[in-house]
Amino acid sequence: MDTNRIVKGLGLKATPKRIAILEILSEELVYLGPEEIWKKLQVRFKRIGLPTVYRNLEELSQGGVVIKVIHPNRKLYYYYCSNSNHHHHFVCIACRKVQDLEFCGEEQIIKEVEDTLKGKVISHLFQVYGLCRDCSRANAIST
Ligand SMILES: [Zn+2]
Ligand SMILES: [Zn+2]
Ligand SMILES: [Zn+2]
């Protein structure tokens, strides 16, 4: 994976820290919290501060390659997704796995906003939380 190219594609300078963050995220199939990413970064950047990590994650997430997961526990996590088609995510709150959800209710939402609220939609956020297949099975066995 050419992380250098991906960072540049987001209109950002390909700094070693941004590339390292993208590498860390792309190696995981689960979402990570800023502190966890920070700990992994400290292996290479001993003096990196947490605010730098937050700032870089925020910048990377503007482009859609790094997905922000707004957890029901109100904490923010990040996840790498290379799927450039418009889609949403199904997030497992037990094992942290994130799966692409090739579904978007945008058309109905736009219709509802325009017809009922007489407003205009600019963008939308949609994320679904639950238990993945493995976790819901494990849950059924243990209960
Ligand atoms: Zn799961
Ligand atoms: Zn995705
Ligand atoms: Zn959508």
Side-chain angles (χ1 to χ4, degrees):
M1 193 182 68
D2 191 352
T3 38
N4 199 55
R5 200 176 49 93
I6 292 168
V7 175
K8 282 183 182 157
L10 297 173
L12 297 168
K13 245 182 95 187
T15 64
K17 282 170 192 159
R18 286 194 185 123
I19 290 170
I21 289 174
L22 213 55
E23 278 170 2
I24 288 168
L25 286 170
S26 65
E27 281 163 11
E28 303 279 344
L29 291 170
V30 298
Y31 59 76
L32 294 175
E35 279 95 355
E36 292 165 310
I37 297 163
W38 183 43
K39 280 204 188 84
K40 287 174 188 276
L41 281 168
Q42 282 170 340
V43 177
R44 276 170 66 184
F45 307 95
K46 291 206 165 47
R47 289 160 194 242
I48 189 168
L50 189 55
T52 306
V53 179
Y54 273 106
R55 199 187 56 239
N56 277 290
L57 283 167
E58 195 50 42
E59 287 165 349
L60 287 168
S61 71
Q62 302 289 319
V65 179
V66 171
I67 309 296
K68 233 189 253 186
V69 174
I70 304 150
H71 198 278
N73 69 10
R74 297 171 147 255
K75 284 190 183 159
L76 211 54
Y77 298 89
Y78 293 88
Y79 170 73
Y80 174 85
C81 176
S82 60
N83 182 349
S84 57
N85 295 326
H86 180 85
H87 68 288
H88 296 277
H89 294 98
F90 176 59
V91 178
C92 178
I93 55 167
C95 72
R96 295 177 159 217
K97 189 159 70 195
V98 182
Q99 289 169 285
D100 283 359
L101 199 59
E102 306 286 348
F103 168 84
C104 176
E106 190 180 32
E107 274 173 41
Q108 284 130 281
I109 292 162
I110 287 175
K111 202 177 174 311
E112 185 69 19
V113 169
E114 289 180 353
D115 293 356
T116 313
L117 306 176
K118 310 291 177 203
K120 195 169 166 45
V121 174
I122 294 165
S123 70
H124 65 281
L125 267 179
F126 181 56
Q127 231 159 46
V128 183
Y129 308 92
L131 297 173
C132 72
R133 201 174 87 151
D134 293 343
C135 292
S136 61
R137 267 189 194 158
N139 219 287
I141 294 162
S142 68
T143 52

